[in-house]
Amino acid sequence: MEVNGRTVLVCNCEGTMPLDGAKLAKACGASNPATLATQLCRAELDRFVSALESPTAGSPTKPITVACTQEASLFTDQAQDSAQHSPPGAPLTFVNIRERAGWSVEADDAHPKIAALIAEATLAVAPISSIELKSEGVALIYGRDEQAIEAARQLMDKLDITVLLTRPDAVIPPRTAEFPILKGTIVKATGHLGKFEVEVDDYAAPLPSSRQSLTFGPSRRGAKSTCDIILDLTGGTPLFPAHGKRDGYLRPDPGNPAEVQKAIFQFADLVGEFDKPRYVDYRAELCAHSRNKKTGCTRCLDVCPTGAITSDRDHVAIDPFVCAGCGSCAAVCPTGAATYALPRPEPLLERLRTLLLTYHEAGGSDAVVLVHDAEHGDPLIDLAARFGPGLPARVIPFQVNSITQLGIEALAAPFAFGASELRILAPAKPREDLTPLARNLGLAETILSGLGFGSGRASLMESDDPDRFAADLYAMPRRKGADPTNFLPMGDKKGLSRLVLRKLQSVAPEPIPVLPLAMGAPFGTLDIDAEGCTLCLACVSTCPTGALTDNADRPMLSFTEDACVQCGLCKNTCPENVIKLHPQLNFTDTARSPILVKQEEPCHCIRCNKPFGTKASIDRIAAKLSGSHWMFDNKAIIDRIYMCGDCRVIAQSEATLDPYAGPERPKTITTEDYKH
């Protein structure tokens, strides 16, 4: 059948899935009937080959989607073989409908879900930018004893090895010096695959006369060296935060021989050029970290597990070589300065839109979106399908690169598209810090509850047991979702958040106009004491999003709530301390337009009539200075306060009196005065 301009080949996997071709074609909105295969990867492989061939000579075929992932390698090889004997074949993609839908006790009712999965698979995949890591095999093995030396012997033919032993105790000298063996303790390590730098204390080389055990010469501190890869067999404190995410750094448990041997095999392969995805796109001009040495937003700095994000004056710097792709920074960034790129928010929400709208149009109801990653979620779903009841027909799996990449826009969008529940699948012992995700889930729950959806709609599901996992899904009570609203997810991350939340409010059971939020939320207004504001406009110059604006023609301060991200820079900068943050979600149109906070009459120069400053501020300054010092008893000097900068200089140059001359000094009293 044909869906969204692609040829879709569906197989019932030797009859193990109760698929109905007519029902499936109708659910998919296919332009032609669905002819189901029974053994597409074996007896009916010719059907796949026929789809690969051009309809006419030299004419390309339509893109092909095969509803099978188990035999993806077979189909890919067949497509490559076909391309060698004919014009280039069609772009080939795959979708798993078996473990996700067809192998389930509710498979008879799963046609809407299968249609949704197929529709999602037919969407175009955006290209991913990458960076290059290069390793020439310069390796450091860091250990305590002979175990490190033995690992070096296994790797010496493949890598340029140096062994560094920390506080070694009675290590037998090797018979031949096949690679350097040194002593020292790493006190600092930085870098990544292909570019590590270590600083070593207690550094010393062995004496060639070492007999029963290695004896080292004089040691020194602060020795520095570089290498491409590091194998850490010390079992001590890791050299890096979130060490499992540092490319080129392996740290197996030295007490587990199998784990050590596995690490040695992996270590040997870390030579050559490697492409790494650029996980995060960063735009410094949107960053709300700091202005004028005043700190505002530190959300990304607080959540980065690898130390890839550092403060860089007014902005932050993200090292793409250290970034491990958890996406927590993008999930908590309120301005969209950091945006997750695997994929970007727009195509991610477009996948959700396609899934849920197709599901509802095919007759599905009460959809539950199950967000998961490939490393943990896919195996758990497979096990539940192979040895258990599989997924319920209304549970739609949605794979992402990392569950911690989900921002508020991704958590709210399923409900705007008609989902009734959202579950995020995580390991029982998470490898990631889930605190940022938990905060975003808390914010989503506050919004959903405040809009009348009730509590418990969006939550984390931590499980490693496929039986318990499936049982929890089947035990979920059925709750109605909102009527789905169809809108195109367009714009940057910040704009998408506002768009999604407004669409959600429009279909909510209780669409209240303003929803109070807890401190720390990235939405809100400002409570500004207009009486105490002097219109110095320091807040305008520090606001990174343009929420606070002035007027070039007159002293004026305006505020646009939709642009505010509650970073606190204006509050921290205000010299009068008249600004307070007020977190809330304002769904009304007033949030989109500038609201006048304060305006005053400008002070016109008494000499040239040019406006400068505010009249009220200049009057206050003149009143405070008048009579405070003998200098300001002179009206000419007070008048200069009412002049612009240029005229003040001219008036000063024209003055005939010395402005710094004081009153006549008193006559000096001498002894002669006392004689009279």
Side-chain angles (χ1 to χ4, degrees):
M1 64 181 174
E2 185 177 321
V3 179
N4 294 336
R6 298 185 71 94
T7 299
V8 180
L9 301 177
V10 182
C11 177
N12 63 21
C13 199
E14 298 183 319
T16 57
M17 290 187 286
L19 300 181
D20 185 315
K23 188 185 294 186
L24 183 60
K26 181 180 178 181
C28 290
S31 57
N32 54 343
T35 303
L36 301 178
T38 299
Q39 200 183 61
L40 185 64
C41 59
R42 298 291 186 273
E44 296 172 277
L45 187 61
D46 59 323
R47 290 185 54 186
F48 174 73
V49 175
S50 297
L52 288 173
E53 295 174 353
S54 302
T56 57
S59 166
T61 61
K62 292 179 179 178
I64 297 175
T65 295
V66 179
C68 173
T69 53
Q70 176 178 289
E71 301 295 336
S73 297
L74 171 68
F75 292 120
T76 301
D77 291 343
Q78 187 66 44
Q80 292 174 349
D81 182 64
S82 176
Q84 294 176 3
H85 302 91
S86 61
L92 187 60
T93 60
F94 303 92
V95 56
N96 181 359
I97 65 170
R98 189 178 68 179
E99 283 82 1
R100 293 178 160 214
W103 281 359
S104 167
V105 296
E106 295 185 357
D108 289 333
D109 301 321
H111 286 81
K113 178 167 72 169
I114 294 174
L117 294 173
I118 290 174
E120 181 200 9
T122 61
L123 293 176
V125 179
I128 299 170
S129 64
S130 61
I131 55 177
E132 185 179 278
L133 300 172
K134 185 176 182 180
S135 168
E136 296 181 351
V138 179
L140 174 65
I141 299 181
Y142 186 42
R144 296 182 179 275
D145 49 30
E146 284 89 350
Q147 185 182 48
I149 298 175
E150 177 55 33
R153 288 196 183 100
Q154 295 185 46
L155 294 165
M156 58 183 289
D157 293 335
K158 299 180 179 180
L159 304 172
D160 180 3
I161 297 290
T162 297
V163 175
L164 182 65
L165 301 178
T166 176
R167 302 180 184 88
D169 183 21
V171 175
I172 300 174
R175 278 193 314 109
T176 57
E178 300 167 311
F179 40 78
I181 301 176
L182 306 168
K183 182 186 76 165
T185 300
I186 298 177
V187 294
K188 182 180 179 182
T190 58
H192 51 82
L193 174 66
K195 196 176 180 180
F196 284 110
E197 182 173 324
V198 295
E199 183 176 331
V200 181
D201 281 352
D202 192 31
Y203 173 80
L207 298 176
S209 59
S210 299
R211 187 173 181 180
Q212 294 182 343
S213 63
L214 284 175
T215 305
F216 295 87
S219 61
R220 62 186 178 94
R221 297 170 57 86
K224 294 184 178 180
S225 183
T226 60
C227 60
D228 294 325
I229 50 180
I230 301 175
L231 177 60
D232 186 349
L233 298 175
T234 62
T237 303
L239 300 180
F240 302 97
H243 59 87
K245 298 177 177 295
R246 186 68 58 128
D247 294 321
Y249 175 69
L250 301 183
R251 183 181 172 273
D253 177 5
N256 185 333
E259 190 174 324
V260 171
Q261 201 60 46
K262 180 181 177 181
I264 290 174
F265 285 132
Q266 293 174 341
F267 202 63
D269 292 332
L270 295 179
V271 181
E273 297 180 357
F274 304 89
D275 287 332
K276 176 180 179 177
R278 187 181 291 273
Y279 294 107
V280 176
D281 290 333
Y282 177 67
R283 295 175 59 190
E285 68 272 17
L286 298 179
C287 183
H289 171 54
S290 176
R291 293 293 186 276
N292 303 325
K293 298 183 179 180
K294 296 289 186 180
T295 302
C297 178
T298 61
R299 290 176 173 93
C300 62
L301 289 166
D302 296 337
V303 302
C304 181
T306 63
I309 305 178
T310 54
S311 179
D312 184 17
R313 292 178 292 180
D314 282 353
H315 311 110
V316 299
I318 302 179
D319 187 343
F321 295 97
V322 176
C323 174
C326 70
S328 294
C329 57
V332 300
C333 180
T335 66
T339 304
Y340 202 68
L342 201 65
R344 294 183 61 83
E346 302 99 309
L348 185 76
L349 296 195
E350 178 60 20
R351 286 175 53 204
L352 276 171
R353 185 182 81 93
T354 301
L355 269 175
L356 289 167
L357 293 185
T358 303
Y359 176 78
H360 284 284
E361 289 169 3
S365 61
D366 308 331
V368 178
V369 176
L370 177 67
V371 182
H372 66 93
D373 61 12
E375 184 178 359
H376 174 257
D378 274 354
L380 204 63
I381 291 172
D382 285 356
L383 289 172
R386 292 174 181 274
F387 301 101
L391 297 182
R394 67 191 184 105
V395 174
I396 305 176
F398 183 70
Q399 183 178 315
V400 295
N401 185 61
S402 172
I403 60 173
T404 50
Q405 76 183 73
L406 302 175
I408 187 61
E409 74 286 348
L411 299 177
F415 299 97
F417 291 132
S420 64
E421 307 277 348
L422 174 68
R423 295 294 181 268
I424 301 176
L425 180 59
K429 295 181 179 179
R431 296 176 290 273
E432 309 273 6
D433 180 9
L434 300 182
T435 303
L437 175 61
R439 289 175 182 167
N440 279 338
L441 277 171
L443 176 59
E445 272 287 280
T446 298
I447 295 171
L448 291 168
S449 298
L451 294 177
F453 286 92
S455 61
R457 293 274 188 168
S459 63
L460 199 61
M461 177 180 283
E462 297 176 282
S463 178
D464 294 334
D465 184 342
D467 293 331
R468 178 64 182 272
F469 158 66
D472 289 343
L473 290 176
Y474 280 95
M476 281 191 303
R478 278 187 174 268
R479 290 193 284 186
K480 292 290 182 183
D483 292 333
T485 176
N486 188 3
F487 62 94
L488 290 176
M490 299 176 64
D492 58 15
K493 180 178 180 295
K494 181 169 171 287
L496 274 176
S497 299
R498 294 287 186 179
L499 173 65
V500 168
L501 292 173
R502 281 201 166 86
K503 294 296 184 181
L504 177 64
Q505 189 256 3
S506 69
V507 296
E510 299 174 14
I512 61 175
V514 180
L515 177 65
L517 299 176
M519 290 301 296
F523 310 102
T525 185
L526 299 176
D527 292 335
I528 302 177
D529 179 9
E531 191 67 28
C533 175
T534 62
L535 287 178
C536 70
L537 302 181
C539 55
V540 174
S541 65
T542 60
C543 180
T545 62
L548 289 162
T549 54
D550 59 358
N551 188 318
D553 298 326
R554 63 187 304 110
M556 179 186 295
L557 177 64
S558 300
F559 173 70
T560 306
E561 185 170 345
D562 252 14
C564 181
V565 296
Q566 301 283 286
C567 66
L569 276 171
C570 57
K571 174 180 178 292
N572 297 339
T573 302
C574 179
E576 281 79 31
N577 295 319
V578 296
I579 300 179
K580 294 182 180 178
L581 304 181
H582 187 105
Q584 65 177 30
L585 254 178
N586 187 347
F587 298 103
T588 67
D589 290 340
T590 58
R592 308 182 194 184
S593 304
I595 303 298
L596 179 64
V597 176
K598 185 174 183 176
Q599 69 173 345
E600 290 187 2
E601 289 298 318
C603 181
H604 291 271
C605 175
I606 61 175
R607 184 165 180 148
C608 70
N609 205 38
K610 183 173 71 175
F612 74 100
T614 66
K615 188 175 185 305
S617 297
I618 300 301
D619 286 342
R620 280 196 295 269
I621 293 171
K624 184 170 288 189
L625 293 177
S626 181
S628 64
H629 191 273
W630 59 262
M631 180 186 295
F632 298 102
D633 291 338
N634 188 334
K635 183 179 182 300
I637 294 179
I638 290 294
D639 285 347
R640 291 175 198 163
I641 298 175
Y642 288 91
M643 296 180 189
C644 67
D646 294 337
C647 291
R648 197 174 298 136
V649 172
I650 295 172
Q652 176 67 35
S653 65
E654 294 175 348
T656 56
L657 298 176
D658 183 0
Y660 301 106
E664 184 179 352
R665 297 175 67 85
K667 182 181 178 181
T668 303
I669 299 176
T670 67
T671 54
E672 292 297 322
D673 295 314
Y674 290 104
K675 293 179 180 180
H676 304 289

